[in-house]
Every structure is written in C-alpha cells, then in structure tokens.
Amino acid sequence: MFAKPAQKSLKLVLCWHMHQPEYRDLKTGEYTLPWTYLHVIKDYVDMVAHLEAVPKAKAVINFVPILLEQIEEYARQVSCYLQDRIAITDPLLAALVAPSIPADPESRLKLIKDCMRANRERQINRYPAFRKLADMADWIEGHYDSLNYINSQFIADMLVWYHLVWMGETIKLSDSRVKSLIKKGSGYTLHDRIEVLEVIGEQLSSVILRYKVLARKGQIELSVTPYAHPIMPLLLDLNSTHEAMPHAPLPELNKYQGGEERVAWHLEKGVQVFKRFFGFNPKGCWPSEGSICEHTLKILGDFGFDWAASGGSVLHHSLHLPENRRPPGIHHPFQLGGTDIACFFRDDGLSDLIGFEYSKWHADDAVGDLIQHLENIAANELGDTVLSIILDGENAWEYFPANGYFFLNALYQRLAVHPLIELTTFSECLKDKIEVKPLSRLVAGSWVYGSFSTWIGDADKNRGWDMLGDAKEAFDKAIAGERLTDKQMQEAEFQLAVCEGSDWFWWFGDYNPGEAVSNFEKQFRLNLANLYRLLGEEPPAYLAMSFTQGSGAPAMGGAMRPGVEY
C-alpha cells in the first residue's frame, strides 16, 4: 500500500498597498486634510504590529513615495512642537494641543464637524462617552445658535476622543497612556491633549523603521509605486482607455504632452525616495491603481524592476484576446512578449471578500472561509500556483470590529502554520523559479473593473484632464522659454507631479459622496492654481469655480472599489 503523496502547497502573496496623496497646500505648507497621520496611527501601525507578532508570516508592503515623505514631515513637525513649541501646520493636529479653544462659532463648528469624520458604527459608537458627544454634535449642527452655549471643554473632549478612536487597536491594547485616557472618558485637560500628541509622535517617528526592520529580516518585501501615484498608461496615451472601454468619451485633450518623460520622472524620483528611506532599490512595482498597458510593462522592465502587479480583471480581459492561449489555471505570473518583467495578477474575488464582505462576519468564520477557498484552489489547479491577494492597506479596517484586529491576527496565525499554504512574496516566487506563463497581448486597465473608468471617461473626469493638460502646456512653455531658475523649476516640477496624481480624478463624479468630492476637487484646483503661480502666471479664471459635485453613497464611502463590477 502506497502512502498518498502530499499535496503541493499553494503559494500565497498578501500585498498591502499603503497610499495617501499630497494633502498640503504647497504654497503655504498647510495640510488641508488629516488622513496621512490618521492612517499612520491606525492602519500602518497595526499592520506592522500584526506581522511582528507572527514572525513566520510574510507579506508584501507597498509604499507610495509621496506618502513616505509626508510621514517624515509629520514626524518632524510633531517633534519640533513637543521640543520647541514650533507650530504644526495641520489644523486639526494643531487644534488638539492649542492652549485655548477658538471662541468664534464658525471655528468651533468646523472643529466639531472635523471630529465627526470617523466610522459611526465601528469607531464612534464603540465608546459610549464619544457616542454621547457625537449625538450632541448632530443636534448642534441643526441648531447653529446653540454654538454660543458650547463651552471649550466640549470641543477639547471631541478632539481627544477623535484621536483616540483613530488609534490602532495594537496601541489601545499596549499603551498605558491611551488606556488611561479612554477610561477617563471626559474632562480632558491640555496635559491630556499633549499626551495624545506624544503618542502620535512616537508612532510617526517609528513606523517606517519598523517596516524596514522586517524587510531586513526577510519577513516582508517592500515595493514601490511611481512617486506621486499617477495613472501611467493615461500619461503615456489617453487612447489606452478604449482598450477596455471602446466607446468611452475622452477629454478634448488629444494627448498628454511629454507623458513618457513624466512617467520616467515619477519612476526615477519614486525609487530615489524609496532608497533614501529603506537603503536599497526595490525589485517590484505596484503601478498606481494596478494600472498597466503594454508600454507601461516595457518601461517598468527596462527600468530594472523584476515584477509588477495588476488587477485580475486585466488578465481576464487579456485572456479573451485570440492572440493569447488561456492556461488551465490563472493563478500564475505572466510575462508579456517583448518585455523583461513578470506580472502578477490579483485574485479579485478573494481580495474583494476581505475589502467588502468579511467586515460583517465573525473574524474566525471569515478567516475559515478564506482558507477554505484557498484549499479548494490548491486542490484543483495543476502545477505551480501563486495566488495574489492585493488590496488597500488602510481603508478596509475601519469597517471591521476593532480595526480588523481579530481578523488580521487570526489570518496571519492560521496561514503561517497551514500545511498546504505557503505565505511568500513576489520576489521569492521568482527566486524559486516559479513558472511564468507567456502572454502575447495585454488589454490596458487597472485593478478597478479592469478599466480606467474611475479616472477618465465621464464629463467631470474628462474636464479634470483638460485642466491638467492646460497646466502642462503652461509648464512646457515656461521650461522652453527658460523663464525659471533651477530652484523654481524644481518646485514647479514637484507641483506638477502632485497635480498628476490619480486621487483627484478618483473622486470626480456625482456617484461619490458630496463632502469627499468637494474636498478633493478643491484640492485639485488649488494644486493647479499653485502650479500656474510658480510658473509666474495668473491661474485661469475657471480654477476659481467648482466643476464637479457629488451626491452618491458608494460602498465603504467610496474610498475603495471592488476589482469586479458587480
């Protein structure tokens, strides 16, 4: 009697993408939105803590370079405030430690509204003391005259609670100061508020180093995205939109002039920043939003990257082309003919379960269900199998109980010891000589629906491209006319890069929530206006007027989208 041969293990790559755009008004240095530091203390800190707690677990962590620089700047500002009381340029963080609460009703109302920007069910209502404040804040918003009777203690307590609920679960469980402040519940003093800032400062100053240590140990692979998160295929050729959406209307702008040079700039600058923080060149690139086209993959391969990754729908669309032979299983890396880079494709179904469904489940049931799916794939696919789960590393967790603590803890613990599932990284897969399947042709697209519909193809998004094209034309003329000093040229180039980021276009469109659309649309217009001023030109009048409004209520507030359009 022969023993049954052991089933070959499934290689599983968990890739978490950490990304926030540049939120500063680069003219004044003031932050317009607080999301960078809030996601540091909640999501980036929790993710690295989970990995530290399970040394046998592995993952790929992707950082956008412009995010790394913002984390560094926040850490510097908080340190300077705590040491020398030098002002912080983020208004919400500055308000947290201001010696006095503003007296005028408008400023108070703004602070109250800002302190309500959190998940009501999972963050606010979890704590009865903050829930009571939030209920009062709801009433105050509808009774403007009541602001005259709101005392400073109410605002101080709102500010402290807001930052407490944005703390990562691993901080809440381990930091005695945070535990004490949560227990106190109300009546927070200036000393308490400064203590909160001290905790925030510690997380900001140590979080990047913690990831660097895990990378040195070989537990994680660190990868990069082009510097300011542009959609590279669209910079290269706006017509690539039509590969997945043949009938989509395009902007009046026929071509983004100098797009290939701009792609090279974002890649060179991105790797330069990455190397400054981590000390080595990354082997892999998660192109912004997983957006690729044939030209993009060729550029990434020529640039020296070993791997890139994209959405499963991009592979699905590509395998339907007659030039491509569909393999028996799809969980493999592929290499496009004429390129020197392997491309891994996201399992959209399993990634979307984590992003959109498992937050409603008990953590053990959710992890059990995911593992069952993985075991079924391992049993049914032949040959070398690499399954890629790739998703936003920050926005999903606020919808889970305890910021996903129980889910992520169980996920890493159970996968690390599973006999049939091998947690690995993209570079390790290539090092192990995993089979890379051939691909003759590729349909351009992103991880969202396998198309570029989130960034181009409707009236508001197309208007954004036309505005960006106008600014780029002004930039090119200023450079050609040699009107700028070297310093001015560097500042303008950086400002242009910020304008080219994908995030602004993501939010344009009425299907998105009104407040988010307004915030990002204003920031986009501000970025463009600042660019014109750096070029020595008066901004066009249209930049003073709003061009898109939102009234939608998409899943998860619109900050995430599924890989497949259901």
Side-chain angles (χ1 to χ4, degrees):
M1 185 174 180
F2 295 97
K4 187 178 179 181
Q7 187 176 346
K8 193 164 185 177
S9 69
L10 166 75
K11 290 183 182 291
L12 172 64
V13 178
L14 300 174
C15 178
W16 309 110
H17 173 55
M18 309 305 197
H19 157 225
Q20 294 296 318
E22 175 61 78
Y23 288 119
R24 281 175 297 179
D25 173 348
L26 294 177
K27 185 181 177 186
T28 65
E30 183 174 299
Y31 284 90
T32 58
L33 291 166
W35 305 126
T36 294
Y37 83 84
L38 292 175
H39 282 296
V40 168
I41 65 175
K42 187 170 82 69
D43 303 304
Y44 310 154
V45 163
D46 267 3
M47 184 60 75
V48 75
H50 283 294
L51 286 161
E52 289 166 342
V54 187
K56 290 185 178 179
K58 289 196 171 185
V60 175
I61 307 293
N62 188 83
F63 278 108
V64 176
I66 207 165
L67 167 63
L68 293 170
E69 290 182 332
Q70 283 185 87
I71 295 172
E72 179 183 54
E73 173 61 14
Y74 267 113
R76 185 194 68 78
Q77 287 200 24
V78 172
S79 175
C80 287
Y81 177 83
L82 292 172
Q83 291 176 21
D84 302 309
R85 292 299 185 262
I86 297 172
I88 295 171
T89 63
D90 184 293
L92 191 60
L93 205 52
L96 173 66
V97 290
S100 60
I101 302 296
D104 66 287
E106 284 295 336
S107 296
R108 291 193 167 202
L109 183 61
K110 185 176 188 316
L111 283 176
I112 290 169
K113 284 183 172 181
D114 287 347
C115 290
M116 293 291 286
R117 292 192 296 201
N119 186 291
R120 192 64 175 253
E121 179 188 359
R122 299 299 194 192
Q123 290 177 279
I124 294 176
N125 290 350
R126 176 181 175 184
Y127 299 98
F130 193 24
R131 181 176 186 169
K132 185 192 296 183
L133 294 175
D135 289 343
M136 293 169 65
D138 288 338
W139 185 86
I140 290 164
E141 247 194 279
H143 299 79
Y144 184 82
D145 291 347
S146 66
L147 284 164
N148 295 320
Y149 300 95
I150 299 301
N151 67 13
S152 296
Q153 189 63 59
F154 177 83
I155 308 290
D157 286 1
M158 287 284 289
L159 284 162
V160 171
W161 265 115
Y162 185 72
H163 288 90
L164 289 176
V165 302
W166 271 92
M167 292 283 179
E169 197 67 18
T170 55
I171 304 175
K172 292 174 185 173
L173 290 169
S174 62
D175 193 291
S176 59
R177 294 163 297 179
V178 172
K179 288 181 184 178
S180 176
L181 288 166
I182 289 173
K183 186 177 180 182
K184 182 174 181 177
S186 64
Y188 296 114
T189 64
L190 179 58
H191 178 272
D192 294 331
R193 291 189 274 136
I194 291 173
E195 196 165 58
V196 173
L197 186 69
E198 287 173 345
V199 175
I200 292 171
E202 288 166 15
Q203 307 309 320
L204 287 165
S205 62
S206 64
V207 65
I208 294 173
L209 177 61
R210 292 169 71 184
Y211 282 102
K212 186 176 179 179
V213 168
L214 291 186
R216 281 179 176 167
K217 290 179 178 177
Q219 188 180 346
I220 65 172
E221 176 177 7
L222 291 168
S223 62
V224 75
T225 292
Y227 177 69
H229 209 268
I231 303 294
M232 289 192 289
L234 295 181
L235 293 186
L236 295 168
D237 183 5
L238 294 173
N239 290 299
S240 64
T241 304
H242 283 153
E243 293 185 31
M245 302 189 301
H247 306 296
L250 292 182
E252 293 178 16
L253 181 71
N254 292 321
K255 178 184 180 183
Y256 191 72
Q257 293 296 331
E260 190 160 353
E261 290 83 0
R262 294 304 299 154
V263 164
W265 187 93
H266 281 276
L267 288 171
E268 289 166 8
K269 177 76 169 174
V271 169
Q272 179 188 78
V273 171
F274 181 98
K275 189 172 182 179
R276 180 169 72 81
F277 279 94
F278 297 117
F280 62 91
N281 283 335
K283 294 181 178 179
C285 177
W286 168 252
S288 318
E289 307 293 1
S291 57
I292 56 173
C293 63
E294 292 186 355
H295 193 182
T296 300
L297 287 180
K298 176 76 166 60
I299 289 171
L300 291 174
D302 291 346
F303 201 80
F305 288 110
D306 294 338
W307 63 262
S310 185
S313 293
V314 173
L315 178 63
H316 178 76
H317 292 164
S318 300
L319 291 177
H320 274 77
L321 294 174
E323 297 94 326
N324 291 323
R325 245 180 55 195
R326 189 177 181 91
I330 59 168
H331 294 107
H332 312 279
F334 288 78
Q335 185 170 330
L336 178 70
T339 72
D340 298 318
I341 188 170
C343 192
F344 294 83
F345 291 93
R346 175 184 191 257
D347 186 300
D348 287 332
L350 297 187
S351 300
D352 288 346
L353 279 174
I354 296 175
F356 292 90
E357 293 300 323
Y358 285 155
S359 59
K360 306 162 194 168
W361 294 37
H362 187 284
D364 291 336
D365 294 337
V367 173
D369 183 72
L370 180 64
I371 288 175
Q372 182 66 58
H373 284 297
L374 295 170
E375 289 170 346
N376 290 341
I377 292 168
N380 291 309
E381 290 206 11
L382 301 174
D384 291 338
T385 302
V386 180
L387 191 143
S388 306
I389 290 178
I390 308 173
L391 73 154
D392 188 306
E394 54 225 355
N395 287 308
W397 312 121
E398 71 183 73
Y399 295 90
F400 282 73
N403 202 44
Y405 178 86
F406 301 106
F407 173 80
L408 286 166
N409 183 56
L411 181 74
Y412 285 127
Q413 294 278 6
R414 292 177 65 179
L415 288 176
V417 297
H418 197 287
L420 301 179
I421 300 169
E422 177 193 350
L423 278 177
T424 186
T425 68
F426 293 128
S427 285
E428 283 188 356
C429 288
L430 298 178
K431 188 178 178 183
D432 292 344
K433 305 294 183 186
I434 193 93
E435 184 183 2
V436 181
K437 303 283 186 181
L439 200 63
S440 299
R441 286 277 316 282
L442 179 86
V443 175
S446 75
W447 74 336
V448 185
Y449 315 148
S451 72
F452 300 131
S453 62
T454 303
W455 302 276
I456 197 169
D458 77 12
D460 291 349
K461 297 177 191 296
N462 289 348
R463 178 65 185 131
W465 278 100
D466 288 331
M467 292 159 73
L468 177 60
D470 288 348
K472 178 61 163 60
E473 185 179 355
F475 174 85
D476 290 342
K477 285 179 179 175
I479 299 299
E482 299 182 347
R483 301 200 314 254
L484 307 179
T485 65
D486 287 347
K487 182 174 183 294
Q488 287 172 328
M489 191 163 75
Q490 286 178 2
E491 289 175 347
E493 203 159 35
F494 177 64
Q495 185 72 54
L496 175 63
V498 171
C499 296
E500 291 168 335
S502 71
D503 294 80
W504 325 117
F505 297 89
W506 173 288
W507 291 103
F508 301 160
D510 60 5
Y511 58 89
N512 278 311
E515 183 182 4
V517 174
S518 177
N519 287 337
F520 282 85
E521 185 258 358
K522 283 178 184 173
Q523 183 78 27
F524 180 65
R525 289 188 287 115
L526 174 67
N527 291 337
L528 291 173
N530 283 345
L531 176 57
Y532 280 103
R533 293 186 182 103
L534 285 169
L535 299 173
E537 293 192 20
E538 188 65 26
Y542 63 67
L543 289 180
M545 297 178 287
S546 174
F547 68 95
T548 181
Q549 290 82 38
S551 58
M556 309 306 200
M560 298 188 300
R561 301 226 164 88
V564 179
E565 195 163 10
Y566 297 101

